Amino acid sequence: ATVLTISACGDGGSAPSAARPGEITGQVTGLVLEVVGRNIVEIETLRVRDADEKVWTFTAEGPLAFSPSHLREHQLFGQAVVVSYVRRGGSLVAIEIND
C-alpha cells in the first residue's frame, strides 16, 4: 500500500504543451491582476497588465511551475511575472511563468 500511495502522490498531471511548429510565441512581463485556478495546481485564467497598461489574458494546459496560490502572492505583493505563451486559435496559452 505504501508504494501505491507514493505513486499516487507523484506528478500524475500531464506536462503543459510546448510550442508546436508554426505557432506564434511570445513573452509578457507584468503585474498579476487576476488568477482563477482550475484546481490547486493548475491555472484556468491568468490576467496580467504590462508596462504599457495592456491587459493580457492567458489560460494553461496543465500544471506550470507556479501554482494559482503562488501567483496570488505575486498579485498581493505587486511582484512582476514573466509569462511565455503560445497563441492557439483565439487563446493565449501560458507555457512557462517565471519571476
Side-chain angles (χ1 to χ4, degrees):
T2 303
V3 173
L4 293 175
T5 302
I6 292 171
S7 300
C9 292
D11 181 17
S14 60
S17 300
R20 298 174 190 141
E23 289 183 320
I24 298 170
T25 61
Q27 196 173 66
V28 173
T29 301
L31 298 176
V32 176
L33 297 178
E34 179 183 24
V35 181
V36 177
R38 181 175 295 125
N39 56 45
I40 195 167
V41 295
E42 293 182 66
I43 298 162
E44 179 70 35
T45 306
L46 171 63
R47 290 176 15 118
V48 173
R49 183 178 59 230
D50 68 15
D52 295 327
E53 301 296 317
K54 179 176 179 180
V55 176
W56 299 75
T57 302
F58 303 95
T59 189
E61 297 176 339
L64 298 171
F66 284 14
S67 66
S69 61
H70 183 83
L71 288 166
R72 286 186 191 101
E73 287 180 18
H74 278 263
Q75 180 182 15
L76 179 66
F77 294 114
Q79 299 168 324
V81 294
V82 180
V83 181
S84 298
Y85 67 89
V86 61
R87 184 177 299 275
R88 294 214 172 112
S91 299
L92 299 179
V93 180
I95 55 174
E96 185 176 2
I97 302 174
N98 291 298
D99 291 313

